[in-house]
Structure formats: C-alpha cells, structure tokens
Amino acid sequence: MAPLAWRLAQRWCPSSLQVISFPVLQLHLNRTAMRASQKDFENAMNQVKLLKKDPGNEVKLKLYALYKQATEGPCNMPKPGVFDLINKAKWGAWNALGSLPKETARQNYVDLVSSLSSSLESSSQVEPGTDRKSTGYETLMVTSEDGITKIMLNRPTKKNALNVEMYHEIMHALKAASKDDSAITVLTGNGDYYSSGNDLTNFTDIPPGGVEEKAKNGAILLREFVGCFIDFPKPLIAVVNGPAVGISVTLLGLFDAVYASDRATFHTPFSHLGQSPEGCSSYTFPKIMSPAKATEMLVFGKKLTAGEACAQGLVTEVFPDSTFQKEVWTRLKAFAKLPPNAMRISKEIIRNREKEKLHAVNAEECSVLQGRWLSDECMNAVVSFLSRKSKL
Ligand SMILES: CCCC/C=C/CC(=O)SCCNC(=O)CCNC(=O)[C@H](O)C(C)(C)COP(=O)(O)OP(=O)(O)OC[C@H]1O[C@@H](n2cnc3c(N)ncnc32)[C@H](O)[C@@H]1OP(=O)(O)O
C-alpha cells in the first residue's frame, strides 16, 4: 500500500475501508506519480540560471527549499534570529517541507523549474501590438487576434477539469491579458466540455502537513484565483461551448457576458460533493436569479439547460450548437473594435462599487470550503469518484 493511498483511505473513509476499491485508487495514484532522475535535477538547476525573468522572491524561496530538501533532506539548520530576515525566510521555507522525501523534493523542483521556463518564456514572447499565439502553457491555449485574447481550457480528455497547474496558468493568462493590447478577453473550452470543474485528483497529493495543510493551501489558491476574476479590468466574456460544472459555473457571475451553445448545461452539485459554493456565487447567484432559484442550483444541485440558465439571467444568449462558434465570434470581433478605454471605464463603473463586497464574499466562501474539504461528506464523495464508483 502506497503511503499516500493509505493516508487517504484512513482519513477519507475511516469507517468503511472495505467498500473502497483500493487497487483502483492506488492505480490511479501510481499513474500520476513520476520520478525525476539526478540528470533531470541537474538540468533543472542549469535551467534556473538561464531564466530570462526574475521569478520573484516567493518562487525563489520555494526553489531554495526544494533544492535543500532534495540534496540534504529535512531542514537541519537552527532557526535564525528574528532580525536575520532573509535567512529566517529561507529557513521557514525549508522547514515547511517537513519530512518530504528527497526524491519527491527533486521531482517538485524539476516540475517547478519546467513550469517557470514555460510561463516566463511565454510572457516574454509577447510583443505589444502583434497578434500572437502562446504555446508556453501546459493546460491552456492562449491566442490574441483581432483585439481579442482567447484563453482556451485545453485538457479535453479530462473534460477540461481544472488541476492546480491550470489554476496557476489561468491566473497568469488573465494577468497578461489585463496588460496586453487586446480590447476584450474570452474564456472557453476545447473539446465537448466547457469544464467539469475542479479536478478531483487535486485532492490526492497530500503534503507533509496532511489534509489540513492541503485544505489550507487549496483555500489560499482558490481565493487568489477568484480574486483575479473579481479584479479583471477589461470586458471578460465566457464562450460556453458545452457542459459546465462546479467552479466553471459559479465564476460566470463574475463575467461581463456569457454566450452558450444550446448543448451547454450548468451544474453545481456542491451538496452531492459535501462542498459549498465558491466563485462568489453565494452572493452573485441570488442577485442574478433570485434567492430561491440560486438555492435550487447551489444547495439542491439542480442542473440547468442553457435555455433555463438564460431565462434566469446567468447566460446572456444561447445559440444553436451548429452555428455557435461562427455567430459568437462574429459578434465578439465587432465588440473588440469598440474603443477599448471606453469599454474598460464602463466596466469599472458597473462593477467597481461591488468589488470590496466580492472580495469579502470570496474570503468567506474559501474559509467555509476549507472546512468542508476536511469533512467526511466531501472526502467520501471524492474517493467515490476516484475509485470510479460515482459520476455526476
Ligand atoms: C482548489 C480550488 C477548488 C475549487 C472547488 C471547486 C468545486 C467544484 O468545481 S465541484 C465540481 C467537481 N467536478 C465533478 O465532480 C465532476 C466529476 N466528473 C464527472 O462526474 C464526469 O467525469 C463528467 C460527468 C464530468 C463526465 O462524464 P463522462 O462519462 O462524459 O466522461 P468521463 O469518462 O467521466 O471523463 C473523461 C475523463 O475525464 C476525467 N474527469 C472528468 N471530470 C473530472 C474532474 N472534475 N476531476 C478529475 N477528473 C475528471 C475522468 O476521470 C475521465 O478520466 P479517465 O479517462 O482517465 O478515466
């Protein structure tokens, strides 16, 4: 039994070990496990020196900590004094890795460097004023053309489920789009789904601090992620090409327009998953569609068709799937020709007085979810999905 699978089993379904298909869960976990060789590690160390942009102090601390853990094991330095700020930060980062095995630290170091190389290269490829295609992302396709930056979720074989890397890449792409010369930004999905929501395997990679630390990190990530949507300064449009689940639905309340194919459905099965609403939907949905209709979706998990979502104000307009892409993109190209500063300022005046409230709602939702992720209701639902026992 792999230690992670064992920990999951013990914590997630303490009283019903016999009903979980461990071989299936373990197979799933093993499939995602990778090992970096010493050579990969050395290559990554060389790559760090070649980075064209400073990745920032937080990332440098992570790199330092992973390097030390990979080469020396758990932190063996005495804690520096209060005024030794730099060494204290380094010590803190290393010490936080606890007893993380050397091989895992080596793998994490290699992964982090590889994600840095791609994301920093992609932003440095951006030439203002020229159309471009960013190939630096692992989980997205980002293009900028005709005044439109298109961020396409690109894990079609996983129904565009949002894994941790995708959360980070979307934040990166949104930050880049907020500064580029496009007039509007579009989020859409590749393949038959818009997105199946949070990737439930995000719950399997348990850090040394256990599930509590995992839940805390998840809440921090979610808060930052949703914050990027709240603060996005240009018109942000969702082109919902197919079914949308979970967080990909709740976020729609923060978009400026939502165009949907008539194949799309909108499903927020939070109670089924032992979870609670996020993406500011506990505030935006009752305002958009009335508290009772929001309750049907967010509490009872009622799945809406595109037509129903449009009637309730969550979707701006629905198009037949056969003409969806053509009609929507023609319309978006016309919008993108409007004066960008006027659009920005008009968005600001529509949205700004709500911003503070939205950030407060976001913080509260993340804190409630952090607790839900530790509940048996949630853990059982995730184990059940991973062991192929249930789907929505
Ligand atoms: C840190 C921030 C956290 C924010 C929290 C957000 C809350 C949410 O978003 S809650 C919503 C979570 N999503 C789900 O519960 C959906 C789970 N998926 C399904 O029920 C089904 O996959 C589906 C109904 C979406 C599609 O069913 P279908 O039969 O058409 O396709 P599958 O064979 O099931 O899927 C293909 C492939 O994709 C994998 N997959 C799909 N969705 C997810 C997901 N959300 N997480 C992880 N993996 C997903 C699925 O396992 C299949 O993978 P394999 O081909 O490897 O078996």
Side-chain angles (χ1 to χ4, degrees), residues 366-386:
C366 292
S367 144
V368 171
L369 249 184
Q370 184 176 337
R372 291 311 305 160
W373 287 329
L374 297 173
S375 70
D376 284 346
E377 286 178 346
C378 174
M379 292 177 178
N380 290 343
V382 173
V383 170
S384 189
F385 175 77
L386 295 179

Side-chain angles (χ1 to χ4, degrees), residues 28 31 155-164 167 192-193 195-203 214-215 217-223 225-226 243 245-250 267-270 273 275-279 303 369 373 381 385-386 388 390-392:
H28 175 83
R31 257 194 316 182
R155 297 182 75 216
T157 57
K158 298 289 176 188
K159 309 291 181 194
N160 297 322
L162 280 87
N163 61 9
V164 171
Y167 285 110
D192 61 343
Y193 260 65
S195 168
S196 62
N198 187 40
D199 189 317
L200 296 174
T201 66
N202 287 340
F203 289 97
K214 181 83 200 166
N217 293 343
I220 292 170
L221 173 63
L222 180 61
R223 186 169 169 185
F225 178 72
V226 174
V245 184
I247 189 163
S248 71
V249 177
T250 56
H267 195 190
T268 47
F270 298 128
L273 294 167
Q275 297 185 37
S276 51
E278 75 313 88
K303 191 199 280 190
L369 249 184
W373 287 329
F385 175 77
L386 295 179
R388 300 294 185 263
S390 76
K391 272 187 199 182
L392 294 174

